[in-house]
């Protein structure tokens, strides 16, 4: 609905996370409110750990996730500078992959002409 306003339906399937590693993907973590509420709900079912994957992790969201100690690992890209030394944050560099894709698109476009 909005930041921090999350509706999670009751579901017996949430019990399936008990004792397991749960990986949550959120394309953009701004303030982290929605993600935090979601993780809190999942934690009620005692997963072994929660890992967050995100493409864009803004500083406020990162700080809140780390402060809440809800996740064991956050994997993000380098689209936003993280300025952190937290061992819970891993950053994937996108530069080479994006350059390869752009090259491929240009080559395909040129070949069609």
């Amino acid at each position: 609905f909005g930041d921090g306003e999350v509706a999670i339906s009751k579901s017996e399937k949430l019990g399936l996370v008990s004792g397991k590693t749960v990986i949550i993907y959120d394309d953009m973590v701004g303030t982290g409110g929605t993600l935090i509420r979601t993780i809190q709900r999942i934690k009620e079912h005692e997963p072994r750990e929660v890992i967050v994957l995100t493409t864009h992790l803004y500083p406020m969201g990162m700080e809140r996730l780390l402060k809440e100690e809800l996740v064991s690992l956050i994997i993000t890209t380098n689209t936003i500078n993280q300025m952190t030394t937290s061992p819970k944050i891993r950053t994937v560099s996108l530069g080479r992959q994006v350059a390869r894709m752009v090259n491929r698109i240009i080559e395909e476009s040129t070949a069609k002409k």
Side-chain angles (χ1 to χ4, degrees):
F1 301 114
D3 193 40
E5 296 178 46
V6 179
I8 301 175
S9 303
K10 287 192 174 196
S11 171
E12 293 176 15
K13 292 181 180 181
L14 278 175
L16 296 173
V17 304
S18 179
K20 302 220 171 78
T21 296
V22 175
I23 300 173
I24 300 173
Y25 174 74
D26 190 347
D27 62 338
M28 183 181 79
V29 179
T31 64
T34 302
L35 186 58
I36 287 169
R37 288 279 301 124
T38 301
I39 294 169
Q40 288 170 335
R41 179 62 197 264
I42 288 169
K43 286 270 193 167
E44 292 172 10
H45 298 275
E46 301 178 1
R48 184 167 55 106
E49 65 179 336
V50 175
I51 296 172
V52 169
L53 304 177
T54 182
T55 305
H56 309 290
L57 178 61
Y58 288 88
M60 179 188 262
M62 177 191 66
E63 289 172 17
R64 288 183 69 196
L65 280 170
L66 293 173
K67 179 182 165 195
E68 296 280 335
E69 297 187 16
L70 293 170
V71 298
S72 57
L73 181 63
I74 301 169
I75 302 171
T76 188
T77 67
N78 63 340
T79 60
I80 299 171
N81 190 356
Q82 295 311 315
M83 307 291 269
T84 183
T85 57
S86 173
K88 288 187 175 187
I89 305 275
R90 299 289 193 282
T91 304
V92 176
S93 177
L94 292 180
R96 286 194 169 107
Q97 289 86 344
V98 170
R100 271 190 238 124
M101 290 304 298
V102 168
N103 236 359
R104 185 177 305 151
I105 292 168
I106 290 170
E107 287 172 1
E108 289 172 0
S109 176
T110 305
K112 290 180 182 179
K113 289 181 181 181

